[in-house]
Amino acid sequence: MKEKTLAIIKPDAVKKRIIGKIISRIEEEDFEIREMKMLWLTKEEAKGFYVVHKDKPFYDSLTDFMSSGRIVVMILERENAIAHWRKVMGATDPALAEPGTLRHSYGFSIERNAVHGSDSPQTAEWEINYFFPKTQ
Ligand code: CMP
């Protein structure tokens, strides 16, 4: 069954001018891009998106980073989209990500890791609704 996930190209990747490379990979991996937009989050919007991490020591730094420049947010659709996108991204920490994954190729650190993806169907629904409330 087809499934949707939320993907974000983070400010580090936008600044490196690799939006095109990441979108090429998304299309090569047979995802359909259902929605896409470029945004520059406020600190408050970044805090809202990552509210699940509000008690983590990296919350302030993460939300500073995520509001430090433009991002690209997308709804991706294919069979098994959530797990497949996570496989294409690789481990959160680029140092631990498998060769060939986006984070291995383009991530800089555990925080500046180029891309984001939803981690479960419930999270995907919540995250898609956060950025694309009219598409539900
Ligand atoms: P993401 O997949 O967007 O989900 C939460 C984000 O928090 C993660 O990618 C990283 O950008 C960041 N993150 C996770 N763990 C750490 C950590 N230990 N230190 C700093 N940032 C982290």
Side-chain angles (χ1 to χ4, degrees):
M1 216 183 66
K2 288 210 172 171
E3 184 178 63
K4 293 190 179 88
T5 191
L6 186 90
I8 304 181
I9 304 177
K10 296 187 179 185
D12 57 327
V14 173
K15 282 182 184 139
K16 274 191 196 157
R17 302 184 187 185
I18 53 170
I19 295 173
K21 288 196 168 99
I22 293 172
I23 290 177
S24 288
R25 180 66 184 275
I26 286 169
E27 295 192 324
E28 282 160 21
E29 296 285 345
D30 250 6
F31 288 101
E32 287 188 69
I33 300 173
R34 289 290 182 205
E35 299 282 344
M36 176 164 69
K37 60 187 175 186
M38 180 174 262
L39 299 169
W40 190 325
L41 299 181
T42 63
K43 172 87 171 171
E44 286 310 308
E45 288 166 339
K47 284 170 80 173
F49 181 72
Y50 280 116
V51 69
V52 65
H53 296 302
K54 69 178 164 42
D55 297 324
K56 304 268 173 59
F58 57 81
Y59 184 58
D60 191 49
S61 170
L62 171 64
T63 51
D64 272 352
F65 162 57
M66 287 301 290
S67 57
S68 68
R70 291 179 179 82
I71 62 171
V72 177
V73 293
M74 286 170 276
I75 300 176
L76 306 184
E77 185 174 68
R78 57 159 276 165
E79 298 278 318
N80 211 16
I82 295 169
H84 194 79
W85 177 235
R86 292 179 71 75
K87 192 171 151 206
V88 172
M89 289 193 298
T92 305
D93 184 350
L96 303 176
E98 296 280 331
T101 63
L102 291 170
R103 284 168 170 163
H104 180 269
S105 300
Y106 306 126
F108 172 74
S109 68
I110 195 166
E111 178 175 275
R112 293 168 190 246
N113 59 359
V115 283
H116 167 84
S118 311
D119 66 4
S120 71
Q122 293 71 26
T123 313
E125 193 182 341
W126 187 90
E127 291 185 350
I128 286 170
N129 190 55
Y130 192 83
F131 286 118
F132 300 98
K134 292 195 190 93
T135 62
Q136 290 284 54

